[in-house]
Amino acid sequence: MVSQAFVAWAADLAGVQPAGVYGPQPPTAGQLSELAAKKPRLILDNSAMPGGDALANVGATRVVIDNFPGDGFDLLAMYRANADAIIVSNVG
């Protein structure tokens, strides 16, 4: 699994340690090559600053993670939605 820097905390929700982290700036070609070489099955991408779509060719499942609550400012709902997105990804 690889993750955008600001949502790496969500790896705990998945029960894994990231094999690689990118960002907060968009990944460079060199970083993309390094991350792809890790053959991730899951990419945790940040909804506010996505960059994981650049890894689309590795065949990993991309899950978009929110790192801040929505209009209702419900932090628990944000965590539940992120956990549900990881579960629905069916990677594991």
Side-chain angles (χ1 to χ4, degrees), residues 24 42 45-46 51-52 58-59 62 68 73 79 87 90:
L42 179 66
D45 208 3
N46 187 334
V58 301
R62 180 175 166 255
F68 52 89
F73 301 108
Y79 281 111
I87 291 166
N90 200 26

Side-chain angles (χ1 to χ4, degrees), residues 14 41-44 59-63 82-92:
R41 292 178 34 205
L42 179 66
I43 299 166
L44 298 181
T61 300
R62 180 175 166 255
V63 176
N82 288 331
D84 289 345
I86 292 169
I87 291 166
V88 168
S89 75
N90 200 26
V91 175

Side-chain angles (χ1 to χ4, degrees), residues 18-64:
V21 176
Y22 60 92
Q25 67 283 358
T28 65
Q31 289 170 324
L32 290 172
S33 178
E34 290 173 14
L35 293 169
K38 297 177 185 297
K39 299 186 185 324
R41 292 178 34 205
L42 179 66
I43 299 166
L44 298 181
D45 208 3
N46 187 334
S47 65
M49 49 181 48
D53 53 346
L55 288 165
N57 65 337
V58 301
T61 300
R62 180 175 166 255
V63 176
V64 178

